[in-house]
Short mmCIF file of all heavy atoms in Angstrom, two decimals:
data_model
loop_
_atom_site.label_atom_id
_atom_site.label_comp_id
_atom_site.label_asym_id
_atom_site.label_seq_id
_atom_site.Cartn_x
_atom_site.Cartn_y
_atom_site.Cartn_z
N TYR A 54 -10.84 22.54 -43.76
CA TYR A 54 -10.04 21.42 -44.25
C TYR A 54 -8.55 21.74 -44.24
O TYR A 54 -7.72 20.83 -44.13
CB TYR A 54 -10.53 20.97 -45.63
CG TYR A 54 -11.88 20.29 -45.53
CD1 TYR A 54 -13.07 21.02 -45.62
CD2 TYR A 54 -11.97 18.93 -45.29
CE1 TYR A 54 -14.30 20.41 -45.48
CE2 TYR A 54 -13.21 18.30 -45.15
CZ TYR A 54 -14.36 19.06 -45.26
OH TYR A 54 -15.58 18.44 -45.10
N ALA A 55 -8.20 23.01 -44.32
CA ALA A 55 -6.79 23.40 -44.17
C ALA A 55 -6.34 23.14 -42.74
O ALA A 55 -5.25 22.61 -42.51
CB ALA A 55 -6.61 24.88 -44.54
N CYS A 56 -7.19 23.49 -41.77
CA CYS A 56 -6.86 23.23 -40.36
C CYS A 56 -6.74 21.74 -40.09
O CYS A 56 -5.81 21.29 -39.41
CB CYS A 56 -7.92 23.86 -39.45
SG CYS A 56 -7.93 25.66 -39.44
N ILE A 57 -7.66 20.96 -40.63
CA ILE A 57 -7.60 19.51 -40.46
C ILE A 57 -6.31 18.95 -41.08
O ILE A 57 -5.65 18.10 -40.48
CB ILE A 57 -8.85 18.83 -41.06
CG1 ILE A 57 -10.09 19.19 -40.24
CG2 ILE A 57 -8.66 17.32 -41.15
CD1 ILE A 57 -11.40 18.77 -40.89
N ALA A 58 -5.95 19.44 -42.25
CA ALA A 58 -4.72 18.98 -42.91
C ALA A 58 -3.51 19.27 -42.03
O ALA A 58 -2.59 18.45 -41.94
CB ALA A 58 -4.57 19.62 -44.28
N CYS A 59 -3.49 20.42 -41.38
CA CYS A 59 -2.38 20.75 -40.48
C CYS A 59 -2.29 19.76 -39.33
O CYS A 59 -1.20 19.29 -39.00
CB CYS A 59 -2.55 22.16 -39.92
SG CYS A 59 -2.23 23.45 -41.11
N VAL A 60 -3.41 19.45 -38.72
CA VAL A 60 -3.42 18.53 -37.58
C VAL A 60 -2.95 17.15 -38.01
O VAL A 60 -2.13 16.52 -37.34
CB VAL A 60 -4.83 18.46 -36.94
CG1 VAL A 60 -4.90 17.36 -35.91
CG2 VAL A 60 -5.21 19.80 -36.34
N VAL A 61 -3.44 16.68 -39.13
CA VAL A 61 -3.10 15.33 -39.60
C VAL A 61 -1.67 15.25 -40.11
O VAL A 61 -0.97 14.27 -39.86
CB VAL A 61 -4.09 14.89 -40.70
CG1 VAL A 61 -3.66 13.58 -41.34
CG2 VAL A 61 -5.49 14.76 -40.13
N CYS A 62 -1.21 16.28 -40.79
CA CYS A 62 0.10 16.22 -41.45
C CYS A 62 1.28 16.57 -40.55
O CYS A 62 2.39 16.13 -40.81
CB CYS A 62 0.12 17.13 -42.67
SG CYS A 62 -0.98 16.54 -43.95
N MET A 63 1.05 17.37 -39.53
CA MET A 63 2.18 17.77 -38.68
C MET A 63 2.74 16.54 -37.97
O MET A 63 2.04 15.84 -37.26
CB MET A 63 1.74 18.81 -37.65
CG MET A 63 2.89 19.36 -36.82
SD MET A 63 4.17 20.19 -37.79
CE MET A 63 3.32 21.68 -38.31
N GLN A 64 4.00 16.30 -38.18
CA GLN A 64 4.69 15.17 -37.59
C GLN A 64 5.91 15.68 -36.84
O GLN A 64 6.20 16.86 -36.84
CB GLN A 64 5.10 14.17 -38.68
CG GLN A 64 3.92 13.60 -39.46
CD GLN A 64 3.00 12.75 -38.61
OE1 GLN A 64 3.46 11.86 -37.89
NE2 GLN A 64 1.71 13.02 -38.68
N SER A 65 6.63 14.77 -36.23
CA SER A 65 7.78 15.15 -35.41
C SER A 65 8.94 15.71 -36.21
O SER A 65 9.72 16.49 -35.71
CB SER A 65 8.27 13.95 -34.60
OG SER A 65 7.26 13.54 -33.72
N SER A 66 9.07 15.30 -37.46
CA SER A 66 10.18 15.80 -38.27
C SER A 66 9.65 16.36 -39.58
O SER A 66 8.53 16.07 -40.01
CB SER A 66 11.18 14.68 -38.56
OG SER A 66 10.65 13.78 -39.52
N LEU A 67 10.48 17.15 -40.21
CA LEU A 67 10.12 17.75 -41.50
C LEU A 67 9.88 16.68 -42.55
O LEU A 67 8.92 16.74 -43.33
CB LEU A 67 11.24 18.71 -41.93
CG LEU A 67 10.97 19.63 -43.09
CD1 LEU A 67 9.75 20.49 -42.83
CD2 LEU A 67 12.18 20.51 -43.36
N GLY A 68 10.75 15.67 -42.57
CA GLY A 68 10.60 14.59 -43.54
C GLY A 68 9.30 13.82 -43.36
O GLY A 68 8.61 13.50 -44.33
N GLN A 69 8.95 13.55 -42.09
CA GLN A 69 7.69 12.84 -41.82
C GLN A 69 6.49 13.70 -42.20
O GLN A 69 5.49 13.19 -42.72
CB GLN A 69 7.61 12.47 -40.34
CG GLN A 69 8.59 11.39 -39.93
CD GLN A 69 8.64 11.23 -38.41
OE1 GLN A 69 8.33 12.15 -37.65
NE2 GLN A 69 9.06 10.06 -37.96
N THR A 70 6.59 15.01 -41.93
CA THR A 70 5.50 15.92 -42.31
C THR A 70 5.34 15.93 -43.82
O THR A 70 4.21 15.90 -44.33
CB THR A 70 5.77 17.34 -41.78
OG1 THR A 70 5.78 17.30 -40.35
CG2 THR A 70 4.72 18.34 -42.25
N MET A 71 6.45 15.96 -44.54
CA MET A 71 6.40 15.96 -46.00
C MET A 71 5.74 14.68 -46.51
O MET A 71 4.86 14.73 -47.38
CB MET A 71 7.81 16.10 -46.58
CG MET A 71 7.84 16.03 -48.09
SD MET A 71 6.98 17.40 -48.85
CE MET A 71 8.35 18.45 -49.19
N GLN A 72 6.13 13.54 -45.97
CA GLN A 72 5.55 12.27 -46.41
C GLN A 72 4.05 12.21 -46.11
O GLN A 72 3.26 11.78 -46.95
CB GLN A 72 6.28 11.09 -45.75
CG GLN A 72 7.67 10.87 -46.28
CD GLN A 72 7.70 10.70 -47.78
OE1 GLN A 72 6.95 9.92 -48.36
NE2 GLN A 72 8.56 11.47 -48.44
N GLN A 73 3.67 12.64 -44.91
CA GLN A 73 2.25 12.64 -44.54
C GLN A 73 1.47 13.62 -45.43
O GLN A 73 0.36 13.32 -45.85
CB GLN A 73 2.09 13.03 -43.07
CG GLN A 73 0.70 12.89 -42.54
CD GLN A 73 0.23 11.45 -42.45
OE1 GLN A 73 1.01 10.52 -42.39
NE2 GLN A 73 -1.07 11.27 -42.46
N GLY A 74 2.07 14.78 -45.69
CA GLY A 74 1.41 15.77 -46.55
C GLY A 74 1.22 15.28 -47.97
O GLY A 74 0.16 15.47 -48.57
N ILE A 75 2.24 14.63 -48.51
CA ILE A 75 2.13 14.08 -49.86
C ILE A 75 1.04 13.02 -49.91
O ILE A 75 0.21 13.00 -50.82
CB ILE A 75 3.49 13.51 -50.33
CG1 ILE A 75 4.49 14.64 -50.58
CG2 ILE A 75 3.32 12.66 -51.60
CD1 ILE A 75 5.92 14.18 -50.78
N SER A 76 1.02 12.15 -48.90
CA SER A 76 -0.02 11.11 -48.86
C SER A 76 -1.40 11.72 -48.75
O SER A 76 -2.34 11.29 -49.42
CB SER A 76 0.22 10.16 -47.68
OG SER A 76 1.36 9.37 -47.92
N ARG A 77 -1.54 12.75 -47.93
CA ARG A 77 -2.84 13.40 -47.79
C ARG A 77 -3.26 14.05 -49.10
O ARG A 77 -4.41 13.92 -49.53
CB ARG A 77 -2.82 14.43 -46.67
CG ARG A 77 -4.21 15.03 -46.45
CD ARG A 77 -4.33 15.63 -45.09
NE ARG A 77 -5.64 16.19 -44.91
CZ ARG A 77 -6.65 15.58 -44.31
NH1 ARG A 77 -6.48 14.37 -43.83
NH2 ARG A 77 -7.82 16.17 -44.17
N PHE A 78 -2.33 14.74 -49.75
CA PHE A 78 -2.66 15.37 -51.03
C PHE A 78 -3.06 14.32 -52.07
O PHE A 78 -4.04 14.50 -52.78
CB PHE A 78 -1.48 16.20 -51.56
CG PHE A 78 -1.74 16.75 -52.92
CD1 PHE A 78 -2.61 17.81 -53.10
CD2 PHE A 78 -1.16 16.17 -54.03
CE1 PHE A 78 -2.88 18.30 -54.36
CE2 PHE A 78 -1.43 16.65 -55.30
CZ PHE A 78 -2.29 17.73 -55.46
N ILE A 79 -2.31 13.22 -52.15
CA ILE A 79 -2.65 12.17 -53.11
C ILE A 79 -4.04 11.61 -52.80
O ILE A 79 -4.85 11.42 -53.70
CB ILE A 79 -1.57 11.05 -53.10
CG1 ILE A 79 -0.29 11.58 -53.75
CG2 ILE A 79 -2.07 9.79 -53.82
CD1 ILE A 79 0.91 10.66 -53.59
N GLY A 80 -4.31 11.35 -51.53
CA GLY A 80 -5.63 10.84 -51.15
C GLY A 80 -6.75 11.79 -51.52
O GLY A 80 -7.79 11.37 -52.04
N VAL A 81 -6.55 13.08 -51.28
CA VAL A 81 -7.57 14.08 -51.60
C VAL A 81 -7.73 14.19 -53.12
O VAL A 81 -8.85 14.28 -53.63
CB VAL A 81 -7.23 15.45 -50.97
CG1 VAL A 81 -8.12 16.54 -51.52
CG2 VAL A 81 -7.39 15.36 -49.46
N ALA A 82 -6.62 14.17 -53.85
CA ALA A 82 -6.69 14.27 -55.31
C ALA A 82 -7.40 13.05 -55.90
O ALA A 82 -8.27 13.19 -56.77
CB ALA A 82 -5.29 14.42 -55.90
N VAL A 83 -7.04 11.86 -55.43
CA VAL A 83 -7.68 10.63 -55.92
C VAL A 83 -9.16 10.66 -55.55
O VAL A 83 -10.04 10.43 -56.39
CB VAL A 83 -6.98 9.38 -55.34
CG1 VAL A 83 -7.84 8.13 -55.55
CG2 VAL A 83 -5.61 9.19 -55.96
N GLY A 84 -9.46 10.96 -54.29
CA GLY A 84 -10.85 10.98 -53.84
C GLY A 84 -11.67 12.06 -54.53
O GLY A 84 -12.82 11.82 -54.92
N GLY A 85 -11.09 13.23 -54.70
CA GLY A 85 -11.79 14.31 -55.40
C GLY A 85 -12.09 13.95 -56.84
O GLY A 85 -13.19 14.20 -57.35
N THR A 86 -11.13 13.35 -57.50
CA THR A 86 -11.33 12.93 -58.89
C THR A 86 -12.42 11.88 -58.98
O THR A 86 -13.31 11.96 -59.84
CB THR A 86 -10.01 12.38 -59.47
OG1 THR A 86 -9.01 13.40 -59.40
CG2 THR A 86 -10.18 11.94 -60.91
N LEU A 87 -12.38 10.89 -58.09
CA LEU A 87 -13.41 9.85 -58.10
C LEU A 87 -14.79 10.43 -57.82
O LEU A 87 -15.77 10.08 -58.47
CB LEU A 87 -13.08 8.76 -57.07
CG LEU A 87 -11.87 7.89 -57.40
CD1 LEU A 87 -11.51 7.01 -56.20
CD2 LEU A 87 -12.12 7.05 -58.64
N GLY A 88 -14.85 11.35 -56.86
CA GLY A 88 -16.13 11.98 -56.54
C GLY A 88 -16.70 12.75 -57.73
O GLY A 88 -17.89 12.64 -58.04
N VAL A 89 -15.85 13.50 -58.41
CA VAL A 89 -16.30 14.28 -59.57
C VAL A 89 -16.71 13.35 -60.71
O VAL A 89 -17.70 13.61 -61.41
CB VAL A 89 -15.19 15.27 -60.01
CG1 VAL A 89 -15.50 15.87 -61.37
CG2 VAL A 89 -15.04 16.38 -58.97
N LEU A 90 -15.97 12.26 -60.90
CA LEU A 90 -16.34 11.30 -61.95
C LEU A 90 -17.73 10.71 -61.69
O LEU A 90 -18.53 10.56 -62.62
CB LEU A 90 -15.30 10.19 -62.07
CG LEU A 90 -13.97 10.59 -62.69
CD1 LEU A 90 -12.97 9.44 -62.60
CD2 LEU A 90 -14.16 11.03 -64.14
N VAL A 91 -18.02 10.40 -60.44
CA VAL A 91 -19.35 9.86 -60.12
C VAL A 91 -20.42 10.93 -60.32
O VAL A 91 -21.50 10.66 -60.84
CB VAL A 91 -19.39 9.28 -58.69
CG1 VAL A 91 -20.81 8.93 -58.28
CG2 VAL A 91 -18.50 8.06 -58.59
N LEU A 92 -20.12 12.17 -59.94
CA LEU A 92 -21.08 13.25 -60.16
C LEU A 92 -21.40 13.42 -61.64
O LEU A 92 -22.52 13.78 -62.00
CB LEU A 92 -20.53 14.57 -59.62
CG LEU A 92 -20.42 14.72 -58.10
CD1 LEU A 92 -19.80 16.07 -57.75
CD2 LEU A 92 -21.79 14.56 -57.44
N ALA A 93 -20.42 13.15 -62.48
CA ALA A 93 -20.61 13.29 -63.92
C ALA A 93 -21.64 12.29 -64.45
O ALA A 93 -22.17 12.47 -65.56
CB ALA A 93 -19.28 13.12 -64.65
N LEU A 94 -21.96 11.25 -63.69
CA LEU A 94 -22.99 10.31 -64.11
C LEU A 94 -24.37 10.95 -64.13
O LEU A 94 -25.29 10.44 -64.74
CB LEU A 94 -23.00 9.07 -63.20
CG LEU A 94 -21.73 8.22 -63.22
CD1 LEU A 94 -21.83 7.11 -62.17
CD2 LEU A 94 -21.50 7.63 -64.60
N GLY A 95 -24.50 12.07 -63.40
CA GLY A 95 -25.73 12.85 -63.45
C GLY A 95 -26.87 12.31 -62.61
O GLY A 95 -26.68 11.83 -61.49
N GLU A 96 -28.06 12.38 -63.16
CA GLU A 96 -29.31 12.10 -62.46
C GLU A 96 -29.37 10.76 -61.73
O GLU A 96 -29.87 10.71 -60.60
CB GLU A 96 -30.47 12.20 -63.46
CG GLU A 96 -31.84 12.17 -62.84
CD GLU A 96 -32.12 13.37 -61.93
OE1 GLU A 96 -31.54 14.44 -62.14
OE2 GLU A 96 -32.92 13.20 -60.99
N PRO A 97 -28.86 9.67 -62.30
CA PRO A 97 -28.98 8.39 -61.58
C PRO A 97 -28.36 8.39 -60.18
O PRO A 97 -28.82 7.66 -59.30
CB PRO A 97 -28.25 7.40 -62.49
CG PRO A 97 -28.29 8.01 -63.85
CD PRO A 97 -28.27 9.49 -63.62
N VAL A 98 -27.35 9.21 -59.95
CA VAL A 98 -26.66 9.23 -58.66
C VAL A 98 -27.56 9.79 -57.56
O VAL A 98 -27.30 9.58 -56.37
CB VAL A 98 -25.34 10.02 -58.76
CG1 VAL A 98 -24.60 10.06 -57.43
CG2 VAL A 98 -24.45 9.43 -59.82
N ARG A 99 -28.64 10.45 -57.92
CA ARG A 99 -29.55 11.01 -56.91
C ARG A 99 -30.37 9.93 -56.22
O ARG A 99 -30.89 10.14 -55.13
CB ARG A 99 -30.48 12.03 -57.56
CG ARG A 99 -29.71 13.25 -58.05
CD ARG A 99 -30.59 14.34 -58.53
NE ARG A 99 -31.41 14.82 -57.43
CZ ARG A 99 -32.51 15.53 -57.57
NH1 ARG A 99 -32.92 15.87 -58.76
NH2 ARG A 99 -33.19 15.93 -56.53
N TYR A 100 -30.49 8.75 -56.84
CA TYR A 100 -31.26 7.65 -56.24
C TYR A 100 -30.42 7.00 -55.13
O TYR A 100 -29.26 6.65 -55.35
CB TYR A 100 -31.66 6.62 -57.29
CG TYR A 100 -32.58 7.18 -58.34
CD1 TYR A 100 -32.10 7.51 -59.60
CD2 TYR A 100 -33.93 7.41 -58.05
CE1 TYR A 100 -32.94 8.04 -60.57
CE2 TYR A 100 -34.78 7.95 -59.01
CZ TYR A 100 -34.28 8.26 -60.26
OH TYR A 100 -35.12 8.80 -61.20
N PRO A 101 -31.01 6.82 -53.94
CA PRO A 101 -30.25 6.30 -52.80
C PRO A 101 -29.51 4.98 -53.06
O PRO A 101 -28.37 4.83 -52.64
CB PRO A 101 -31.29 6.15 -51.70
CG PRO A 101 -32.34 7.16 -52.05
CD PRO A 101 -32.38 7.19 -53.55
N LEU A 102 -30.14 4.03 -53.74
CA LEU A 102 -29.47 2.76 -53.98
C LEU A 102 -28.29 2.92 -54.94
O LEU A 102 -27.25 2.29 -54.75
CB LEU A 102 -30.46 1.71 -54.51
CG LEU A 102 -31.47 1.21 -53.48
CD1 LEU A 102 -32.46 0.24 -54.11
CD2 LEU A 102 -30.77 0.56 -52.30
N VAL A 103 -28.44 3.76 -55.94
CA VAL A 103 -27.34 4.02 -56.87
C VAL A 103 -26.21 4.73 -56.13
O VAL A 103 -25.03 4.39 -56.28
CB VAL A 103 -27.82 4.84 -58.09
CG1 VAL A 103 -26.64 5.24 -58.99
CG2 VAL A 103 -28.87 4.08 -58.88
N LYS A 104 -26.58 5.72 -55.32
CA LYS A 104 -25.57 6.45 -54.55
C LYS A 104 -24.82 5.50 -53.61
O LYS A 104 -23.59 5.57 -53.50
CB LYS A 104 -26.20 7.59 -53.76
CG LYS A 104 -25.16 8.50 -53.11
CD LYS A 104 -25.80 9.68 -52.40
CE LYS A 104 -26.26 10.68 -53.45
NZ LYS A 104 -26.70 11.95 -52.88
N ALA A 105 -25.56 4.61 -52.94
CA ALA A 105 -24.92 3.65 -52.03
C ALA A 105 -23.93 2.76 -52.80
O ALA A 105 -22.80 2.53 -52.35
CB ALA A 105 -25.97 2.79 -51.33
N LEU A 106 -24.34 2.30 -53.96
CA LEU A 106 -23.46 1.48 -54.79
C LEU A 106 -22.21 2.26 -55.20
O LEU A 106 -21.08 1.77 -55.12
CB LEU A 106 -24.21 0.98 -56.03
CG LEU A 106 -23.38 0.16 -57.01
CD1 LEU A 106 -22.91 -1.14 -56.38
CD2 LEU A 106 -24.19 -0.11 -58.27
N MET A 107 -22.41 3.51 -55.61
CA MET A 107 -21.28 4.35 -56.03
C MET A 107 -20.34 4.66 -54.87
O MET A 107 -19.12 4.75 -55.06
CB MET A 107 -21.78 5.66 -56.66
CG MET A 107 -22.44 5.49 -58.01
SD MET A 107 -21.29 4.88 -59.26
CE MET A 107 -21.73 3.17 -59.37
N LEU A 108 -20.88 4.81 -53.66
CA LEU A 108 -20.02 5.02 -52.49
C LEU A 108 -19.10 3.82 -52.28
O LEU A 108 -17.91 3.97 -51.99
CB LEU A 108 -20.86 5.29 -51.25
CG LEU A 108 -21.55 6.65 -51.20
CD1 LEU A 108 -22.58 6.69 -50.08
CD2 LEU A 108 -20.53 7.76 -51.04
N GLY A 109 -19.65 2.64 -52.45
CA GLY A 109 -18.83 1.43 -52.35
C GLY A 109 -17.78 1.37 -53.45
O GLY A 109 -16.61 1.04 -53.20
N VAL A 110 -18.19 1.70 -54.66
CA VAL A 110 -17.27 1.66 -55.81
C VAL A 110 -16.13 2.65 -55.61
O VAL A 110 -14.96 2.31 -55.84
CB VAL A 110 -18.03 1.95 -57.13
CG1 VAL A 110 -17.07 2.21 -58.27
CG2 VAL A 110 -18.97 0.79 -57.46
#
Side-chain angles (χ1 to χ4, degrees):
Y54 289 89
C56 292
I57 292 170
C59 287
V60 171
V61 172
C62 293
M63 186 60 71
Q64 299 295 311
S65 297
S66 73
L67 191 57
Q69 291 170 336
T70 296
M71 177 64 98
Q72 289 305 310
Q73 187 68 22
I75 290 169
S76 290
R77 184 159 180 97
F78 175 75
I79 289 170
V81 169
V83 166
T86 301
L87 291 171
V89 168
L90 288 174
V91 171
L92 290 177
L94 296 174
E96 190 64 27
V98 180
R99 294 187 63 198
Y100 297 103
L102 289 177
V103 174
K104 188 176 285 189
L106 177 65
M107 290 296 102
L108 288 168
V110 168

